């Protein structure tokens, strides 16, 4: 192997790179560059012109799968147990000039004996400690605010949880002008929520076809996306249920005698 210094080719005679070369047994007297620290203190592994503080590159014959480029390992002098694993820490200088932990991505064992794992994401709020916000468990279930997301052998779940006494878990789906919400509210009148938060209708459908529409005024249409309140007996001051089809509209009230 070799360690050599090299001028970086600029007009500044003091600038240079530090180059580390290795020989795989077939390079003869010309080892191959493995790592470089350039004059800007950027480190390149497998690349001789690093563009970032750490730039790692590899060549592979693989064409249809991701190639492992970086591996992070954690070892323990004891016996690995649940929640042990490797983490990536993100830190930054705050307004006072102090270096602070911002967030972490953690790969941990949830069953160290059988090697089941999870990946967790932690952030911090104000001066608090790093707190888990999102978890993807071994079965692919996702928990937001929940370290034990719901699971079932027949489906993969997204669980959104809030532990606040008057809060709840909610999923917001937004476009540039429309906001829809699905969630659970733990307020005084605890309830499940399916609603729009903007002045737009709520639509329910089956088989990729609209079946029920609740417009922004609370009127309900079944089989129609145009609810004409003015034709209803109560006029525009009332709420309407309008049922339409090519064969006519019908509202049935049934009683089971069994």
């Amino acid at each position: 192997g070799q360690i050599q210094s090299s001028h970086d080719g600029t007009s500044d005679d003091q600038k240079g790179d530090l180059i580390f070369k290795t020989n795989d047994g077939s390079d003869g007297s010309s080892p191959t560059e493995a790592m470089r620290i350039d004059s800007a203190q950027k480190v390149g592994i497998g690349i001789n012109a690093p563009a970032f503080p750490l730039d790692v590159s590899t060549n592979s014959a693989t064409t249809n799968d991701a190639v492992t480029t970086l591996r992070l390992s954690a070892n323990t002098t004891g016996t690995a147990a649940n929640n042990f694993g490797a983490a990536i820490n993100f830190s930054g200088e705050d307004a006072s000039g102090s270096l602070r932990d911002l967030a972490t991505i953690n790969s941990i064992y949830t069953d160290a004996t059988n090697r089941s794992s999870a990946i967790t994401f932690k952030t911090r709020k104000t001066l608090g400690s790093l707190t888990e916000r999102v978890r993807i468990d071994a079965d692919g279930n996702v928990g937001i605010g929940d370290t034990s997301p719901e699971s079932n052998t027949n489906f993969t779940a997204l669980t959104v949880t809030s532990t606040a006494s008057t809060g709840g878990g909610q999923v917001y789906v937004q476009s540039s002008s429309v906001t829809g919400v699905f969630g659970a509210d733990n307020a005084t009148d605890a309830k499940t929520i399916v609603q729009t938060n903007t002045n737009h209708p709520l639509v329910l459908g089956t088989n990729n076809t609209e079946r029920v529409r609740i417009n922004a005024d609370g009127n309900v249409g079944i089989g129609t996306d145009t609810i004409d309140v003015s034709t209803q007996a109560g006029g525009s001051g009332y709420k309407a249920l309008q049922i339409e089809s090519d064969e006519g509209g019908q509202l049935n009230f049934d009683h089971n005698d069994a």
Side-chain angles (χ1 to χ4, degrees):
Q2 290 181 356
I3 300 176
Q4 71 179 56
S5 59
S6 174
H7 186 261
D8 68 1
T10 66
S11 58
D12 188 339
D13 290 337
Q14 296 183 17
K15 285 187 175 182
D17 297 350
L18 187 61
I19 303 170
F20 299 79
K21 295 184 177 183
T22 60
N23 194 321
D24 66 0
S26 62
D27 293 336
S29 60
S30 301
T32 300
E33 178 175 332
M35 185 175 75
R36 175 183 297 244
I37 305 174
D38 70 10
S39 59
Q41 287 80 54
K42 296 176 181 176
V43 178
I45 300 177
I47 185 171
N48 59 18
F52 303 95
L54 176 60
D55 201 340
V56 182
S57 178
T58 184
N59 291 318
S60 171
T62 301
T63 59
N64 61 353
D65 199 1
V67 176
T68 300
T69 306
L70 180 65
R71 179 179 179 179
L72 303 178
S73 300
N75 298 296
T76 176
T77 57
T79 301
N82 292 355
N83 295 315
F84 176 77
I88 301 174
N89 180 287
F90 299 89
S91 301
E93 187 177 287
D94 65 13
S96 69
S98 299
L99 189 65
R100 304 289 186 185
D101 292 336
L102 300 175
T104 61
I105 301 175
N106 314 274
S107 59
I108 61 172
Y109 280 122
T110 53
D111 185 339
T113 301
N114 295 309
R115 303 174 188 173
S116 293
S117 63
I119 185 166
T120 67
F121 300 80
K122 295 183 178 182
T123 63
R124 69 182 303 172
K125 184 176 181 180
T126 58
L127 297 178
S129 59
L130 290 169
T131 302
E132 181 176 327
R133 309 299 185 186
V134 179
R135 173 179 294 232
I136 305 173
D137 71 12
D139 293 314
N141 301 300
V142 178
I144 300 177
D146 195 311
T147 59
S148 300
E150 295 293 330
S151 62
N152 186 287
T153 56
N154 297 319
F155 59 82
T156 302
L158 167 64
T159 304
V160 183
T161 301
S162 171
T163 57
S165 59
T166 58
Q170 295 185 345
V171 177
Y172 283 73
V173 182
Q174 296 179 312
S175 69
S176 59
S177 59
V178 181
T179 299
V181 180
F182 175 78
D185 189 351
N186 197 36
T188 303
D189 59 333
K191 55 189 176 294
T192 297
I193 301 170
V194 180
Q195 68 181 39
T196 60
N197 275 17
T198 50
N199 188 24
H200 296 90
L202 177 67
V203 174
L204 305 178
T206 61
N207 197 26
N208 201 33
T209 302
E210 178 178 331
R211 306 300 185 184
V212 179
R213 175 177 292 241
I214 306 173
N215 68 16
D217 294 322
N219 300 299
V220 180
I222 301 177
T224 178
D225 59 6
T226 304
I227 307 169
D228 187 2
V229 180
S230 64
T231 63
Q232 309 306 318
S236 59
Y238 288 75
K239 299 301 180 186
L241 168 62
Q242 185 171 328
I243 304 175
E244 291 187 12
S245 77
D246 293 339
E247 303 299 327
Q250 182 173 316
L251 183 61
N252 293 334
F253 297 91
D254 292 330
H255 173 68
N256 189 346
D257 292 329

